Amino acid sequence: MSTTKKIQWVVSLLIPIVLLLTPMEMTMKLFLAVTIWGIFTIAFDLMDKLVPSLLMPTLYVLLGIAPSSAVYAAWSSTTVSLAISSLVMATCLGECGVLERMAYWLLKKCKGKFTRICWGIFFVSLVLSIFTFGNIAFVVVAMVAGIINVLDIKRTKEGLVLMMGTMWVCFSTLYFVYNPTSVPIVAAAAEPVLGEILPVTWMDFAYANWPVIVFSILFEFLLIKIYKVDQSNLNLNADFFSEKLQAMGAMTKKEKWALVLLIALFVYIIASPWHHLDTSYGFILFAIFALLPGINVATPETLKKVDWGMGFFIAAFLTIGAVATVLGVNQYFVSFASEFMGSAGASYTLFFVSVAGAVANLLLTPIAILTTLGAPMAQLAVSADFSPLASFFTLIFTEWLIVLPYESFPTLIWFSFGCITTQQFFKVGILRLV
């Protein structure tokens, strides 16, 4: 074992032990110790992700931290089904050849420059995310993963920039594209403090927050420069990719069916404002139809290649937020906010809201953050004499102030494609947070 790994093991065990010695209520100490241990083992890649994924929820129950009904609640939602379906979709698309064909076509059009690939996919993703209300991200990741596989740049600096830059522009659109799972929730949560639910229209939200587009462009530029991918020596000769595309020959029946299913999924996402169905069902149906006789985009052999451990990983880390809610961790944040801030000015207050939300992300789900912190953060705005809308929008921003993939289900899906390591994700997350 290397010295680095030894240090990481010491950190992963020492911090939980220190937490157990702090003067807190025992259940809370146990929760933090188990959770921090799980987070560090994943962040440092100390063991196969299946081990902490199975052990964490087991310890939550055995140590009496939370009842099994709360610990395993994630398995009864569409979230885990969506995660597993996305893994199946990724595997069958990678196997059937349609992503490879799409990747060769895109790379041919980029004519030899890796930065052109990054910026091309960046702006395509930005436009698609706006028109699909932020719901196209799980389709885009399949395309990006296809390009990374074709170029054989998994877990390299090029793969990192392509994956993370595209991921963040997809999710950054949710800062200014009205989302019914954020704006109305935080407004309703603040009603007891304000005496009313402040009306926020789609245009209000977009007008206040559209400059995030500028930040996203600057961040992409920063990633390209920091990781020096503009100096990449990858073989991106357009003729090479033309030859690869021609060598694949005509589209097979399996590829055509995969393309039909992708288009159907895209239409389902676009139409979500009208049919009002959870977008999760689109991905679940994709996996089901892909396995149907006569279509056979996926086969029983395909299923053997699916990373099932990632499904358990996603479910286990969704559990953190559920257990934290049961223990009332949210109330700790509320009490701390009230005592710490007092009557600070607008700038300090909004900065505090950002920091509090980013820290809360480590333990709470995004919905829990909005519903729990909506009222106290609105109260802070009233005390500092500025519009509560500023605290609303800042709190919504913190949903995506993420440094580890488990903090949000959508980022977990991107991470599950295996193109980047946890440490790479963490470094870029910290850079973006700053």
Side-chain angles (χ1 to χ4, degrees), residues 168-325:
W168 284 128
V169 73
C170 285
F171 296 137
S172 290
T173 56
L174 294 173
Y175 284 157
F176 58 88
V177 176
Y178 189 94
N179 191 320
T181 62
S182 59
V183 182
I185 288 175
V186 72
E191 182 185 12
V193 169
L194 304 177
E196 62 174 331
I197 296 179
L198 293 185
V200 184
T201 67
W202 291 40
M203 289 305 297
D204 291 335
F205 192 59
Y207 176 73
N209 301 307
W210 68 265
V212 172
I213 296 175
V214 178
F215 167 77
S216 298
I217 293 171
L218 290 174
F219 185 67
E220 177 75 0
F221 177 79
L222 193 63
L223 280 181
I224 288 171
K225 289 299 180 183
I226 288 176
Y227 287 95
K228 299 180 180 179
V229 296
D230 51 342
Q231 302 170 23
S232 174
N233 56 4
L234 285 173
N235 178 19
L236 297 173
N237 186 283
D239 293 336
F240 172 76
F241 294 115
S242 293
E243 291 171 7
K244 286 284 188 181
L245 193 59
Q246 289 174 5
M248 290 189 73
M251 287 187 73
T252 63
K253 178 185 175 183
K254 187 181 287 191
E255 286 182 87
K256 290 176 181 177
W257 270 118
L259 197 57
V260 168
L261 292 177
L262 272 176
I263 293 170
L265 176 59
F266 184 75
V267 171
Y268 178 88
I269 292 171
I270 286 283
S272 58
W274 295 279
H275 59 59
H276 302 296
L277 297 173
D278 190 333
T279 52
S280 301
Y281 295 121
F283 295 90
I284 294 169
L285 289 171
F286 183 105
I288 292 170
F289 279 107
L291 286 159
L292 286 180
I295 296 178
N296 295 123
V297 174
T299 65
E301 289 300 314
T302 306
L303 296 181
K304 294 178 183 178
K305 301 175 185 176
V306 174
D307 185 1
W308 298 108
M310 183 59 73
F312 284 92
F313 168 71
I314 290 170
F317 278 80
L318 289 174
T319 296
I320 294 174
V323 175
T325 302

Side-chain angles (χ1 to χ4, degrees), residues 29-61:
K29 288 195 290 188
L30 290 171
F31 166 68
L32 291 175
V34 171
T35 303
I36 295 300
W37 173 82
I39 290 171
F40 277 133
T41 54
I42 293 294
F44 293 144
D45 291 321
L46 296 179
M47 62 181 73
D48 188 275
K49 57 184 171 290
L50 188 61
V51 177
S53 299
L54 291 174
L55 187 55
M56 282 173 58
T58 301
L59 289 176
Y60 289 148
V61 176

